[in-house]
Amino acid sequence: LSIVSFDCPPGPREIIEHGLSGILVEPQNYSLLSVEIDNLINNSDVRLRLSDIARERAKIFSSENVFRHW
């Protein structure tokens, strides 16, 4: 999935790379959040590119990788 999230501490920035694996917007900026969601709905090329990169980035958080750090 293509992700649009508020850039609230802590969390989303640790997982989402803005513009690469998703879109981050300033917290509580509902107008910008809706604009970015609308952009993804109407731009399948960007939506698919973000999804592809996010799928690859998600491998960082696989149980194998997480268990190695624990």
Side-chain angles (χ1 to χ4, degrees):
L1 296 174
S2 300
I3 302 296
V4 179
S5 173
F6 289 123
D7 188 15
C8 53
R13 185 170 288 278
E14 296 173 24
I15 299 169
I16 300 166
E17 294 175 291
H18 178 71
L20 294 175
S21 60
I23 304 295
L24 295 169
V25 298
E26 70 177 303
Q28 309 303 315
N29 189 337
Y30 299 103
S31 296
L32 184 55
L33 183 74
S34 66
V35 166
E36 294 296 351
I37 291 170
D38 191 57
N39 285 340
L40 288 182
I41 289 170
N42 293 304
N43 192 332
S44 62
D45 291 339
V46 172
R47 187 175 63 245
L48 294 173
R49 179 179 52 82
L50 291 176
S51 294
D52 289 343
I53 294 169
R55 188 176 299 111
E56 285 301 310
R57 181 153 170 77
K59 293 176 183 176
I60 295 170
F61 304 99
S62 71
S63 56
E64 292 174 2
N65 285 332
V66 171
F67 290 155
R68 265 190 241 136
H69 292 284
W70 282 69

